[in-house]
Amino acid sequence: MPSTAAAGRPNIVLVITDQQRYDTIAALGHPHVDTPNLDRLVREGVSFDQCHVTAASCVPARASLFNGLYPHTTGVLRNGCEWRRSWVEQLAASGYHCVNVGKMHTVPFETPLGFHERYVVENKDRFLDGRYYFDEWDKALAARGLVKQQRELYRQRPDYREAMGAFTWDLPADMHSDNFVGGLARWWLDTYPTTQPLFLEVGFPGPHPPFDPTADALAPYLDRDLPIRPVTQADLDGQPEALRVMREHNTEVDHDSVVHIVDPPLESRHRQRAHYLANVTMIDTQIGELMDALARNGYADDCVVIFTSDHGDCLGDHGHIQKWTMYDTITRVPCIVWAPGRFAGGRRIDDLVQWFDLGPTILELAGCRPDPSMEAHSLLPALEGGQAPHRSYVFTEQGRDDGNGLHVDLVTAVRSQAWKLVHFLGEDEGQLFDLQNDPHEERNLWNDPAAAPARRELLDALRDWRLSSGVTTANWAADAR
């Protein structure tokens, strides 16, 4: 089918997974994971290998991405905070047909956000807390007469507290959340009259817990040698009290059907990691089928496909589970841009970039002018063969969230290529890592006199960033009132 995309205005497909670590794609140097379709995107596209999110949990990261502003500017610093506006409105006003299939994590869930159409699928294991909401997946399960696998049922299992969130999907495979979202996106592409230029956001709920791949996807990983770093006592002893409290809290509650174990046996960690990676491979399969659907419907002739994730998961590294901490396993995410007809492929860019830089990149690809109040910077020059926006430092924030046991009002990380500092507001403790000599962030040098110059440099950078942020966004803040 010939392309009808407006000249110079490509179709743009933004694929966002939930809670996917950087080290989950074979072509990025991690051959223990089966990701042939993502490997193709890496080979033919551009990978930003040091892309760091601006927030350590879903809602603030996504609100930041879709507004081009840091969490402290949007005021969205933790999950559950309301956000209703985005640059998608600008895309729609410029003539793009804007569609969301899957997870966006807006609050409220069905906020239009500028999309012409939304087919919302939210967290796999939503805790309703009296706020009943039935998304497209809930409706499809009900239409098939199926009861969704969820926390209330998992809790009835005798091994629930030992499983650490690792279960198998035992309902029909096409009703697994990621298979369902992939199928729904293909259905839209195959059914809706071809409309270009198109902006399509596909939000996969996985590999966010519960870690629930289908049995056939899991089988190849169960006996595979997986790289799992041991948790050292030095690492644990160096963690601030706020992290020790949160770690203990996560053994007492079951966020997303995960009951954490303080010192799990290696076989339990391997099982959890196998389930997680199997879910990644399931998503990879959906990416391949999505690419085929774009091609057969004429969208791929002039198309930019962006693959990324909103943050990672500790998976037991550093003794923690899920997100909320500032380790690279959380802040560093895959960020791949595929557009063979536009950008030279097979490139790996190691400059520091922020996840929300994708916002102005997409706007400029669409021929739109990003708002000057945006704190994000376009990656388009780097995609076209020039330089990435110069960032000496990247920043990540996380607000107090009593639901996960984080009792500090604000945690902020500042990272250069060589060092990372984590600041806990109102606390004397912090974290400081020499990334050149300690790339896995296991030795906290916060109180080491030899590291005092680096600590001073990063604290100064943190101060200057917050001050300059207030100036940059002054007009946006005034308009927001």
Side-chain angles (χ1 to χ4, degrees):
M1 181 182 296
S3 172
T4 59
R9 306 192 79 200
N11 301 303
I12 302 171
V13 179
L14 174 60
V15 179
I16 304 176
T17 62
D18 196 318
Q19 213 149 307
Q20 182 173 347
R21 295 160 55 126
Y22 175 85
D23 60 355
T24 54
I25 298 174
L28 295 180
H30 309 285
H32 59 281
V33 194
D34 299 328
T35 51
N37 297 293
L38 291 173
D39 293 348
R40 173 197 169 189
L41 298 189
V42 173
R43 287 194 310 270
E44 299 176 2
V46 182
S47 174
F48 292 91
D49 288 357
Q50 286 291 344
C51 179
H52 292 261
V53 295
T54 54
S57 55
C58 304
V59 171
R62 290 164 185 258
S64 178
L65 168 63
F66 281 94
N67 284 281
L69 301 165
Y70 285 105
H72 69 262
T73 302
T74 65
V76 181
L77 286 158
R78 59 174 177 78
N79 283 342
C81 291
E82 182 177 299
W83 65 290
R84 295 174 177 266
R85 305 295 300 274
S86 84
W87 44 254
V88 178
E89 297 166 352
Q90 191 176 349
L91 279 184
S94 78
Y96 270 77
H97 188 70
C98 301
V99 181
N100 154 239
V101 178
K103 184 171 181 180
M104 277 285 297
H105 230 359
T106 53
V107 181
F109 290 135
E110 290 187 333
T111 300
L113 214 71
F115 288 100
H116 295 95
E117 303 175 59
R118 291 200 64 194
Y119 301 87
V120 178
V121 177
E122 270 298 323
N123 275 4
K124 294 189 280 187
D125 187 31
R126 291 193 306 281
F127 181 60
L128 296 175
D129 194 24
R131 296 169 292 175
Y132 281 87
Y133 171 74
F134 302 113
D135 65 16
E136 303 293 344
W137 186 39
D138 292 316
K139 298 169 190 174
L141 285 161
R144 295 269 290 269
L146 301 172
V147 177
K148 181 169 67 175
Q149 294 181 205
Q150 55 194 294
R151 203 174 326 181
E152 290 78 4
L153 299 179
Y154 285 139
R155 283 172 173 167
Q156 299 173 21
R157 295 171 55 117
D159 65 342
Y160 180 65
R161 299 198 66 84
E162 291 76 45
M164 298 199 299
F167 312 102
T168 56
W169 182 258
D170 300 323
L171 296 177
D174 65 326
M175 295 308 296
H176 184 280
S177 60
D178 295 312
N179 291 342
F180 176 78
V181 166
L184 189 57
R186 294 193 303 277
W187 169 81
W188 189 93
L189 290 167
D190 289 338
T191 305
Y192 196 90
T194 303
T195 174
Q196 301 191 46
L198 171 69
F199 174 65
L200 172 64
E201 192 277 343
V202 181
F204 287 101
H208 187 290
F211 309 115
D212 60 351
T214 56
D216 62 326
L218 175 63
Y221 286 98
L222 286 175
D223 296 320
R224 185 173 297 182
D225 185 20
L226 303 176
I228 300 175
R229 291 190 65 80
V231 179
T232 68
Q233 193 59 46
D235 184 346
L236 296 174
D237 291 344
Q239 293 181 21
E241 177 67 13
L243 296 189
R244 294 195 291 270
V245 169
M246 187 172 69
R247 179 169 175 248
E248 182 64 31
H249 171 85
N250 286 328
T251 69
E252 299 167 352
V253 298
D254 56 349
H255 300 294
D256 307 306
S257 298
V258 182
V259 180
H260 188 43
I261 298 175
V262 165
D263 187 20
L266 180 59
E267 55 268 27
S268 295
R269 289 195 64 194
H270 182 279
R271 179 172 179 267
Q272 183 186 67
R273 191 75 56 109
H275 281 241
Y276 178 86
L277 295 176
N279 196 171
V280 170
T281 294
M282 291 176 64
I283 293 170
D284 179 84
T285 299
Q286 295 302 315
I287 296 299
E289 295 189 7
L290 176 65
M291 297 294 287
D292 290 344
L294 291 168
R296 67 174 170 264
N297 289 287
Y299 290 104
D301 296 339
D302 187 7
C303 191
V304 179
V305 176
I306 301 169
F307 177 86
T308 189
S309 191
D310 58 359
H311 54 76
D313 191 313
C314 268
L315 291 176
D317 292 344
H318 308 286
H320 289 275
I321 189 62
Q322 297 228 46
K323 50 262 186 180
W324 308 304
T325 62
M326 296 297 174
Y327 299 107
D328 271 12
T329 55
I330 306 303
T331 69
R332 186 186 182 198
V333 293
C335 181
I336 306 163
V337 181
W338 178 93
R342 287 179 171 263
F343 310 129
R347 289 183 290 145
R348 305 272 298 273
I349 295 175
D350 200 45
D351 297 312
L352 290 171
V353 301
Q354 296 264 206
W355 195 51
F356 71 173
D357 291 337
L358 289 172
T361 305
I362 290 170
L363 288 173
E364 290 189 352
L365 281 167
C368 300
R369 180 175 179 268
D371 190 290
S373 292
M374 273 192 177
E375 298 175 279
H377 303 304
S378 174
L379 302 175
L380 190 57
L383 291 169
E384 293 175 337
Q387 294 296 310
H390 177 69
R391 290 188 183 277
S392 298
Y393 310 98
V394 288
F395 303 89
T396 308
E397 302 176 285
Q398 175 62 45
R400 183 188 187 104
D401 191 336
D402 293 330
N404 62 35
L406 183 63
H407 65 270
V408 179
D409 287 334
L410 182 66
V411 181
T412 311
V414 50
R415 187 197 195 280
S416 67
Q417 289 282 16
W419 290 85
K420 179 188 286 184
L421 179 142
V422 185
H423 179 268
F424 295 77
L425 185 64
E427 303 291 321
D428 294 330
E429 296 179 293
Q431 291 175 291
L432 180 66
F433 300 109
D434 176 354
L435 300 175
Q436 303 299 307
N437 296 304
D438 179 25
H440 299 289
E441 302 167 290
E442 294 170 341
R443 298 189 300 275
N444 184 6
L445 303 179
W446 181 264
N447 292 315
D448 187 336
R455 174 176 163 177
R456 182 71 268 159
E457 173 198 337
L458 293 174
L459 285 171
D460 288 347
L462 186 60
R463 175 201 62 213
D464 292 349
W465 164 66
R466 286 301 299 264
L467 291 172
S468 64
S469 174
V471 174
T472 300
T473 62
N475 289 337
W476 179 88
D479 291 344
R481 289 196 295 269

